[in-house]
Amino acid sequence: MVTLADVARHAGVSASTVSYVLSGKRSISAPTRERIQHSIDALGYRPHAGARALASSRTDILALMMPLRTGLYVPVMMEIAMAVTTTARSHGYDVLLLTGEEGPEAVRRVEGSAIADAMIVMDVGLDDPRLPCLQEAERPAVFIGLPTETAQAADAAGLDCVDLDFAAAGARCVEHLAGLGHTGIAVLGEPPAVYERGTGFAARTLTGLRAAAGAHGVGLLHRPVDGTYAAVAAAVTRVFEERPGTTALVVQNEAAVEPLLALLRHQGRAVPEDVSVVAICPDQVAVHASVPLTAVAVPAQEMGRLAVERLVARLAGEQPRGTALIPPLLTARASTGPAAPAAPAGPAAPAGPAAPAAPAAPGGPRTEDRHGRGGR
Amino acid sequence: MVTLADVARHAGVSASTVSYVLSGKRSISAPTRERIQHSIDALGYRPHAGARALASSRTDILALMMPLRTGLYVPVMMEIAMAVTTTARSHGYDVLLLTGEEGPEAVRRVEGSAIADAMIVMDVGLDDPRLPCLQEAERPAVFIGLPTETAQAADAAGLDCVDLDFAAAGARCVEHLAGLGHTGIAVLGEPPAVYERGTGFAARTLTGLRAAAGAHGVGLLHRPVDGTYAAVAAAVTRVFEERPGTTALVVQNEAAVEPLLALLRHQGRAVPEDVSVVAICPDQVAVHASVPLTAVAVPAQEMGRLAVERLVARLAGEQPRGTALIPPLLTARASTGPAAPAAPAGPAAPAGPAAPAAPAAPGGPRTEDRHGRGGR
DNA sequence: GTGAAAGCGCTAACAT
DNA sequence: ATGTTAGCGCTTTCAC
């Protein structure tokens, strides 16, 4: 193994000079710097991570706590993880992946053994058990999600949080539909487990949906669903029985999207003529659905990137910047339209299969409806 | 920060005794061990990862190289990653996640900076550029996938590989269909990019499919497809035009599954009466599809677990165990049946929508058809 | 602008 | 069964 001492000898300088060339914490004359750089390249030297960590108390590693619990949509998690690793690398950090259920214990492990400089905490719930440990901890942490009811509360607690403004996202969906004349909306939500767990984003979305529904005088039904065809079919069928006037659906459940669209086709309900559908999901899901969906995008990449950038800033000595709620962005696609003048009282007449809307040609002309900030 | 010296002082022993209690590399009398353990708990001591790494040249970290390139199905990757982290933790290891495209450079970085003890390499292609670096490297590596044409070649090169036996999996699909009397089969494969990249598993599957098709006198068509409705529709439509006698489809492309089923419904082709469908995908996808699919399972969890266990064995001093090809397991579900006596020459008469098969009740009685090892 | 030297916290001979 | 001690490879004062 090539050590710093080897490089120093090869370049005919002292170890400290080599170290300073590497860290740039002291000015080195151009000739020596070049000579040293040459030796480094020639010998293929790489600083030993452990030694550096011991001497400097910095590991250049970020821990990513990503407990993958039931009901979570994996691709979104993965997209965040990718954005985290990519952004981290661009700042010189590596990422340690923690997926276990250990919770607070994992926090203490990272903290106590100095295995990482900072942490990104995902799948945050209200009263998250990791929160107290994290607040006592020396190392900075950034949450993806909100461990409190409101952004204000998070700020007050001195937390650094990054998330989509799910309340505004919910409101935005209702506004869009209300603007199209819909007065009966049903929400297909995350699986029950997600709500029971107190995972903030689902609750905040619901808050926003309800507030906007109230403000616009729109009726709102909410049904958590598992992402299976059977569960979706049961929920939707019940909704139309209970509220025949329902003309629009909001889906916040990636796994339920295709089952839902299949079901509507099977029931002979045309999208968007009979039923409008708005999703809250990553754009990729919305675009590739069997009907391109009007949707509020879940900006997974941006969340991961932002989280890392805040963490890097904190490691550079900055104070927490407080909560960053990303404003929702709704893109109108082929799944929403004006409310039908007279909503059918039940399933449409079984007059053959509804033609499935073919995915629109990529880049084709299409109404886009981009409003940055929703109500709230 | 609490150090080992603090613990030693608190317990009235020397530092090395504490170290040996932790490592168990020397027998300690029960009284002292207990006294020391008590001090450790009382002070909340955790060994400093960097110091330990420097002194012992072991980091207790495994690097997971998981470049997420286009065409890969993210949930499978994630499932493997989860299995890796879980298994690793159970052996006392943490996992460093490397997702970049850096390739060989990342290998050298891990190797040179001693940031991890070993590596798990995913998304392995033929002539993988990381292979040479890895072979020179001091640290052991396990591949998930095969960087060579055959398992024998991998063994000869002294590699440790873990993968599903995709050739046998392909063969198994054909055998199952041939056994049901099908004589015209079309394969919907991974996106073109996956084949072009030389990613071994797709090619090996095709080899197995073709060999078995030859052996059973079955006609075989192969079409790579992107996982979009449009791409699937184009490919399938063309297949039925070119080979009207096609009565069965094999899908190796998770993203194409739902689009395919939706398309078949739309075309009025009943599954399995008009067309049988066999998938090569994780069981979860097969079970939750809108028609429960007969499928060869991609055992993501087992692959991750096996890879870690081999790596741990190597770190404990064992020799490479060579390539482990997991035998394919085909489970018969609702999507396959006997070949129609007279296959319809074109799309069936547009006699209303085919009733979508509701997902079978969980745990309900169903024919299962479990053969461990396929041909090959 | 450069060197010398004292650790960082732990492990593992080498002693007894 | 336990203590002593010499590093592991790097960073960072302190000194010139």
Side-chain angles (χ1 to χ4, degrees), chain B residues 55-318:
Chain B
S56 68
S57 324
R58 298 185 63 251
T59 60
D60 290 353
I61 289 180
L62 306 181
L64 176 60
M65 284 198 69
M66 182 166 73
L68 249 54
R69 302 197 274 183
T70 47
L72 295 176
Y73 185 64
V74 174
V76 176
M77 293 288 154
M78 197 63 208
E79 210 178 327
I80 296 178
M82 293 274 303
V84 166
T85 56
T86 306
T87 312
R89 279 302 309 140
S90 80
H91 289 274
Y93 288 91
D94 274 304
V95 173
L96 199 72
L97 181 64
L98 306 175
T99 59
E101 278 285 353
E102 316 150 88
E105 183 51 29
V107 174
R108 284 191 215 99
R109 205 163 58 81
V110 170
E111 182 73 11
S113 63
I115 203 176
D117 297 335
M119 311 190 54
I120 293 176
V121 183
M122 293 180 64
D123 193 21
V124 182
L126 302 175
D127 284 312
D128 199 295
R130 295 166 296 183
L131 220 166
C133 307
L134 252 6
Q135 289 183 302
E136 296 169 14
E138 304 279 298
R139 287 163 232 294
V142 169
F143 293 82
I144 295 187
L146 231 53
T148 53
E149 293 280 353
T150 64
Q152 288 71 31
D155 289 350
L159 303 178
D160 229 332
C161 305
V162 169
D163 206 357
L164 172 64
D165 188 340
F166 278 100
R172 188 74 194 79
C173 293
V174 170
E175 283 160 19
H176 175 79
L177 292 169
L180 290 168
H182 295 270
T183 55
I185 299 178
V187 180
L188 297 183
E190 299 283 355
V194 173
Y195 294 92
E196 287 156 15
R197 204 192 295 150
T199 308
F201 78 95
R204 285 181 283 131
T205 308
L206 203 50
T207 304
L209 286 160
R210 289 193 173 134
H216 289 81
V218 169
L220 197 77
L221 244 43
H222 173 241
R223 299 283 176 270
V225 290
D226 285 310
T228 66
Y229 187 87
V232 172
V236 171
T237 303
R238 210 181 112 208
V239 161
F240 283 118
E241 283 168 7
E242 294 170 337
R243 292 279 189 282
T246 300
T247 57
L249 299 171
V250 175
V251 208
Q252 181 179 31
N253 184 326
E254 287 84 357
V257 164
E258 280 306 327
L260 171 64
L261 295 175
L263 176 81
L264 293 176
R265 273 196 293 273
H266 174 229
Q267 292 190 336
R269 301 184 195 269
V271 174
E273 288 79 2
D274 300 333
V275 195
S276 283
V277 177
V278 179
I280 301 174
C281 67
D283 260 340
Q284 215 204 345
V285 172
V287 169
H288 286 132
S290 56
V291 179
L293 297 173
T294 296
V296 170
V298 174
Q301 299 213 10
E302 191 178 355
M303 287 160 63
R305 191 180 49 71
L306 252 176
V308 171
E309 281 167 0
R310 285 178 162 242
L311 218 38
V312 170
R314 290 280 298 279
L315 288 171
E318 288 187 24

Side-chain angles (χ1 to χ4, degrees), chain A residues 63-67 96-116 119 121 129-130 133-134 139, chain B residues 46 89 94:
Chain A
L64 176 61
M65 285 198 68
M66 183 166 71
L96 199 73
L97 181 64
L98 306 175
T99 59
E101 277 287 354
E102 315 151 89
E105 183 50 29
V107 174
R108 285 191 215 99
R109 205 162 59 80
V110 170
E111 182 74 11
S113 62
I115 203 177
M119 312 191 53
V121 183
R130 296 167 294 185
C133 308
L134 252 6
R139 287 164 231 296
Chain B
R46 305 251 184 190
R89 279 302 309 140
D94 274 304

